[in-house]
Amino acid sequence: MKVIVIGANGNTATRVIQSLADSLHEPLAMIRDVEQRSKFDALGVPTVLADLEYPIDHAIIGCDAVIFAAGSGGHTGKDKTALVDHIGAIRSMVTAQVQGTKRYIMLSSINVDEDSTSKLAHYHKAKARADRFLMQTDLDWTIVCPGGLRDDPGNGLVSVSEETHLEGITTRDNLASVLVGCLDRGNTIGKRFSLLEGDTPIDDALRSV
C-alpha cells in the first residue's frame, strides 16, 4: 500500500514514516520545504513537495492511503490553525476522494469540540470541524485522538476508548505505531477513538476498537 504522510516533517509524522519504512507499506513523505528532503533521503523514503494551503492533487494521485499528521504548530497564529488544521485537512479529504484514495487516517486530539472554551479553543474547534467533515465523507476513515504528546520512548502499551473527552498523555512512538497499525485493520474503519498510555498491547487494543 502506498501511503502518503501529510505533515511528514513533524515529530510524530517522522516516527510514522519510520514505522511505515519498516513495514510492508510504501511511504511517501509530503513536505513543504525542499530543505526537509535530506532527512527522508537518509531513510530511503521518497518525498513530494506540497502545501496544504494550495491544491495537493499532484501529491495524492496514485496513493492508496493518507495519514494526516500535519498541524500549524504551537508558534503560529489562529489564522494558520484554521488554514492548516481545518481547511487544509478538508482539502486533503476532498483531494483523496477525487483521486480515489479511499483509506484515510486522521491524527486528531482528545477534547476537540466545535463549542470549545478551553485554552486551546481555536485548535480544538478547528480539529473538531475537520473531524466532522471527514465522518461525513465516503472515505474509509479512522480518527485517532491522542492525549498530550510526549517524546518518551514508547512501550507498546496503550488504552483506547470511544470516550474522547479525557485527560492523559500519549507517547509519539505509541501513537505512530497505532496510526500505521490501523492501515490494515478493517475493524478500525469508521471508528473514532482516544489513545492514551495504558497497559494493553497495541495489537490487542486495536482489535478491541
Side-chain angles (χ1 to χ4, degrees):
M1 185 182 294
K2 184 177 180 180
V3 184
I4 185 168
V5 179
I6 297 178
N9 196 54
N11 288 336
T12 299
T14 297
R15 290 169 167 82
V16 171
I17 289 285
Q18 292 169 329
S19 183
L20 285 168
D22 292 335
S23 72
L24 296 178
H25 297 295
E26 178 187 348
L28 174 64
M30 180 173 137
I31 56 175
R32 289 191 304 117
D33 189 333
V34 69
E35 293 183 359
Q36 299 168 353
R37 181 167 283 158
S38 60
K39 175 168 73 173
F40 300 101
D41 287 345
L43 295 171
V45 173
T47 57
V48 59
L49 282 172
D51 189 326
L52 283 169
E53 296 182 39
Y54 302 93
I56 59 171
D57 296 72
H58 69 284
I60 289 182
I61 189 169
C63 293
D64 303 299
V66 173
I67 296 180
F68 187 95
S72 59
H75 303 293
T76 58
K78 295 180 181 180
D79 57 335
K80 281 293 184 183
T81 299
L83 287 170
V84 174
D85 297 273
H86 177 201
I87 298 170
I90 290 175
R91 174 176 284 114
S92 73
M93 299 167 201
V94 172
T95 304
Q97 291 179 97
V98 169
Q99 297 300 336
T101 303
K102 288 289 290 181
R103 192 70 171 104
Y104 191 107
I105 298 175
M106 168 62 79
L107 168 52
S108 186
S109 173
I110 58 171
N111 300 319
V112 301
D113 190 329
E114 291 187 62
D115 298 314
S116 177
T117 57
S118 74
K119 293 180 180 179
L120 297 174
H122 64 290
Y123 172 74
H124 287 148
K125 289 177 180 180
K127 294 298 289 184
R129 289 164 181 155
D131 289 357
R132 175 168 56 85
F133 188 95
L134 178 58
M135 290 186 284
Q136 294 172 342
T137 69
D138 62 357
L139 295 169
D140 292 336
W141 56 265
T142 302
I143 301 173
V144 181
C145 304
L149 297 178
R150 298 290 185 271
D151 291 331
D152 308 356
N155 60 6
L157 300 175
V158 299
S159 171
V160 299
S161 172
E162 292 182 359
E163 175 58 51
T164 58
H165 285 77
L166 299 166
E167 297 296 329
I169 64 170
T170 309
T171 64
R172 296 181 191 275
D173 284 350
N174 284 347
L175 173 56
S177 295
V178 166
L179 292 170
V180 174
C182 286
L183 284 170
D184 296 318
R185 292 190 177 277
N187 66 295
T188 66
I189 293 174
K191 300 293 181 63
R192 178 173 180 260
F193 59 90
S194 60
L195 175 72
L196 302 176
E197 298 302 283
D199 54 14
T200 303
I202 287 173
D203 283 346
D204 293 340
L206 288 180
R207 276 194 291 267
S208 74
V209 169

